[in-house]
Amino acid sequence: MPVVKVALVIHHGVQALDVAGPADVFAEANAFIPEDDRYETVLVARDRASLRASNNMQLVPDLSFEGASGAFDLVLVAGGPDLPHADPEPDMISWLRSIPMRTAIYGSICTGAFALGHAGLLANRRVTTHWQNAAKLASRFPTAQVEPDLIYLWDGPLVTSAGVTAGIDLALALVHQRHGAAIAVAVAKRLVVLAQRQGGQSQFSPYLSAPANPESPIARLHTHVMENIGRRHTLQSLADAVGMSSRNLARQFVRETGITPHEFVERARVDAARMLLEGTRLPLKGVAYDCGFGTADRMRLVFVGRLGITPAQYRASFQHDPTSSERNI
């Protein structure tokens, strides 16, 4: 196989880990593959002047957009805190518009998806980004099908990932897809990260998204559900638990969280089940019972609907090689 030419697009205020994470994956992979099959990664920006990342780290581009006129095998736009709120640099957007014609695979890490959107590359595509910015991405680019609950995903030549460390997952998936599972696992071990996080793994965790006021009824309901995840929950039982009418609870919950109480309970069950599947050998029917699904069949239906994989496949992804993609870079 020929050398893989990778371009990481950077800009002022870029998230440093969005750059360093994938770059380190490709650099570590070079230690396990033949010299003529290595990754060559360059940083591309408006010009070659040094720029500051969001953590104030100084980065120096290898190529300007004008100088990066050749073909690449992979182009990834790194995210940054400002991208969801401000229009990207015009030179970057102009350069990105040309990449589908000369790049096998292109995509983004975290909020880099906003730059792709401004370049018109998200239209009619399934995409993801950091869950905190997913609604804004969907609103700003309504022709994109935004999936806020995925670590990364592919849609044709387009690859997008969730926030920050998900760029490492995406890069590992790309290495796995080109060089096989053994190389991807070896790289992950060198980086001391989990090699098997699949694109279908959920970003959502109720343990990370509790309401700001821990004394509010909604916060108390979060705690009640997670402490009693195996119990049957109805809207009335939830309302009784926090001393509200079911109607008022439903309205306030949606107003404060953007989802219904039923949706929250189901997401919490999935998250609890994921942790048991990742960290224990409890039989599937035991996981289903402990997490309130009732039966393994019901848990399977919910997992397939939400994550696109079965509980058995999810557990297997933490024990052996992830499923390979059909696309090649």
mmCIF file of all heavy atoms in Angstrom, residues 21-32 39 41 187 190:
data_model
loop_
_atom_site.group_PDB
_atom_site.id
_atom_site.type_symbol
_atom_site.label_atom_id
_atom_site.label_comp_id
_atom_site.label_asym_id
_atom_site.label_seq_id
_atom_site.Cartn_x
_atom_site.Cartn_y
_atom_site.Cartn_z
ATOM 1 N N GLY A 21 -4.505 14.250 19.368
ATOM 2 C CA GLY A 21 -5.031 12.893 19.508
ATOM 3 C C GLY A 21 -4.905 12.082 18.227
ATOM 4 O O GLY A 21 -4.211 11.050 18.196
ATOM 5 N N PRO A 22 -5.552 12.502 17.130
ATOM 6 C CA PRO A 22 -5.403 11.768 15.876
ATOM 7 C C PRO A 22 -3.963 11.720 15.368
ATOM 8 O O PRO A 22 -3.511 10.688 14.860
ATOM 9 C CB PRO A 22 -6.298 12.549 14.910
ATOM 10 C CG PRO A 22 -7.314 13.197 15.792
ATOM 11 C CD PRO A 22 -6.565 13.566 17.044
ATOM 12 N N ALA A 23 -3.229 12.838 15.524
ATOM 13 C CA ALA A 23 -1.841 12.849 15.044
ATOM 14 C C ALA A 23 -1.008 11.798 15.756
ATOM 15 O O ALA A 23 -0.182 11.112 15.144
ATOM 16 C CB ALA A 23 -1.234 14.242 15.239
ATOM 17 N N ASP A 24 -1.213 11.640 17.070
ATOM 18 C CA ASP A 24 -0.467 10.639 17.824
ATOM 19 C C ASP A 24 -0.865 9.221 17.422
ATOM 20 O O ASP A 24 -0.031 8.313 17.388
ATOM 21 C CB ASP A 24 -0.677 10.831 19.326
ATOM 22 C CG ASP A 24 0.287 11.850 19.924
ATOM 23 O OD1 ASP A 24 1.196 12.281 19.199
ATOM 24 O OD2 ASP A 24 0.124 12.213 21.098
ATOM 25 N N VAL A 25 -2.149 9.002 17.133
ATOM 26 C CA VAL A 25 -2.580 7.678 16.676
ATOM 27 C C VAL A 25 -1.848 7.304 15.390
ATOM 28 O O VAL A 25 -1.289 6.205 15.268
ATOM 29 C CB VAL A 25 -4.107 7.650 16.448
ATOM 30 C CG1 VAL A 25 -4.510 6.371 15.700
ATOM 31 C CG2 VAL A 25 -4.850 7.727 17.772
ATOM 32 N N PHE A 26 -1.829 8.210 14.424
ATOM 33 C CA PHE A 26 -1.171 7.906 13.152
ATOM 34 C C PHE A 26 0.347 7.765 13.325
ATOM 35 O O PHE A 26 0.977 6.905 12.702
ATOM 36 C CB PHE A 26 -1.494 8.987 12.123
ATOM 37 C CG PHE A 26 -2.964 9.105 11.816
ATOM 38 C CD1 PHE A 26 -3.592 10.343 11.783
ATOM 39 C CD2 PHE A 26 -3.727 7.970 11.582
ATOM 40 C CE1 PHE A 26 -4.947 10.447 11.512
ATOM 41 C CE2 PHE A 26 -5.093 8.058 11.308
ATOM 42 C CZ PHE A 26 -5.692 9.305 11.271
ATOM 43 N N ALA A 27 0.942 8.596 14.201
ATOM 44 C CA ALA A 27 2.384 8.498 14.443
ATOM 45 C C ALA A 27 2.741 7.177 15.104
ATOM 46 O O ALA A 27 3.729 6.528 14.735
ATOM 47 C CB ALA A 27 2.847 9.666 15.312
ATOM 48 N N GLU A 28 1.954 6.749 16.095
ATOM 49 C CA GLU A 28 2.215 5.475 16.753
ATOM 50 C C GLU A 28 2.007 4.306 15.803
ATOM 51 O O GLU A 28 2.724 3.300 15.871
ATOM 52 C CB GLU A 28 1.312 5.315 17.982
ATOM 53 C CG GLU A 28 1.618 6.261 19.119
ATOM 54 C CD GLU A 28 2.963 6.000 19.777
ATOM 55 O OE1 GLU A 28 3.542 4.911 19.566
ATOM 56 O OE2 GLU A 28 3.449 6.892 20.498
ATOM 57 N N ALA A 29 1.046 4.418 14.914
ATOM 58 C CA ALA A 29 0.803 3.340 13.946
ATOM 59 C C ALA A 29 2.019 3.107 13.069
ATOM 60 O O ALA A 29 2.297 1.967 12.661
ATOM 61 C CB ALA A 29 -0.411 3.676 13.085
ATOM 62 N N ASN A 30 2.762 4.161 12.786
ATOM 63 C CA ASN A 30 3.944 4.021 11.925
ATOM 64 C C ASN A 30 4.984 3.079 12.506
ATOM 65 O O ASN A 30 5.804 2.520 11.774
ATOM 66 C CB ASN A 30 4.570 5.389 11.666
ATOM 67 C CG ASN A 30 3.757 6.221 10.698
ATOM 68 O OD1 ASN A 30 2.939 5.695 9.958
ATOM 69 N ND2 ASN A 30 3.971 7.529 10.708
ATOM 70 N N ALA A 31 4.961 2.880 13.831
ATOM 71 C CA ALA A 31 5.927 1.970 14.462
ATOM 72 C C ALA A 31 5.605 0.506 14.192
ATOM 73 O O ALA A 31 6.460 -0.355 14.394
ATOM 74 C CB ALA A 31 5.954 2.220 15.971
ATOM 75 N N PHE A 32 4.397 0.224 13.699
ATOM 76 C CA PHE A 32 3.959 -1.166 13.519
ATOM 77 C C PHE A 32 3.718 -1.550 12.059
ATOM 78 O O PHE A 32 3.315 -2.678 11.776
ATOM 79 C CB PHE A 32 2.669 -1.407 14.311
ATOM 80 C CG PHE A 32 2.796 -1.143 15.777
ATOM 81 C CD1 PHE A 32 2.322 0.045 16.327
ATOM 82 C CD2 PHE A 32 3.390 -2.067 16.624
ATOM 83 C CE1 PHE A 32 2.435 0.302 17.688
ATOM 84 C CE2 PHE A 32 3.511 -1.824 17.979
ATOM 85 C CZ PHE A 32 3.030 -0.634 18.513
ATOM 86 N N TYR A 39 1.895 6.621 7.698
ATOM 87 C CA TYR A 39 1.078 7.828 7.633
ATOM 88 C C TYR A 39 1.986 9.055 7.620
ATOM 89 O O TYR A 39 2.926 9.146 8.420
ATOM 90 C CB TYR A 39 0.148 7.918 8.843
ATOM 91 C CG TYR A 39 -0.934 6.863 8.873
ATOM 92 C CD1 TYR A 39 -0.697 5.631 9.473
ATOM 93 C CD2 TYR A 39 -2.185 7.104 8.296
ATOM 94 C CE1 TYR A 39 -1.692 4.655 9.504
ATOM 95 C CE2 TYR A 39 -3.174 6.133 8.329
ATOM 96 C CZ TYR A 39 -2.924 4.915 8.928
ATOM 97 O OH TYR A 39 -3.898 3.960 8.958
ATOM 98 N N THR A 41 1.483 12.901 8.248
ATOM 99 C CA THR A 41 0.490 13.849 8.738
ATOM 100 C C THR A 41 1.046 15.260 8.719
ATOM 101 O O THR A 41 2.157 15.499 9.216
ATOM 102 C CB THR A 41 0.056 13.492 10.174
ATOM 103 O OG1 THR A 41 -0.448 12.159 10.189
ATOM 104 C CG2 THR A 41 -1.010 14.439 10.676
ATOM 105 N N VAL A 187 -1.624 0.120 18.803
ATOM 106 C CA VAL A 187 -1.549 1.572 18.930
ATOM 107 C C VAL A 187 -2.285 2.033 20.180
ATOM 108 O O VAL A 187 -1.789 2.867 20.948
ATOM 109 C CB VAL A 187 -2.137 2.261 17.680
ATOM 110 C CG1 VAL A 187 -2.229 3.777 17.894
ATOM 111 C CG2 VAL A 187 -1.279 1.951 16.461
ATOM 112 N N ARG A 190 -0.296 1.442 23.235
ATOM 113 C CA ARG A 190 0.795 2.412 23.379
ATOM 114 C C ARG A 190 0.273 3.739 23.942
ATOM 115 O O ARG A 190 0.962 4.422 24.701
ATOM 116 C CB ARG A 190 1.457 2.647 22.018
ATOM 117 C CG ARG A 190 2.337 1.510 21.532
ATOM 118 C CD ARG A 190 3.720 1.552 22.168
ATOM 119 N NE ARG A 190 4.513 2.646 21.648
ATOM 120 C CZ ARG A 190 5.369 2.537 20.628
ATOM 121 N NH1 ARG A 190 5.531 1.358 20.025
ATOM 122 N NH2 ARG A 190 6.057 3.559 20.207
#
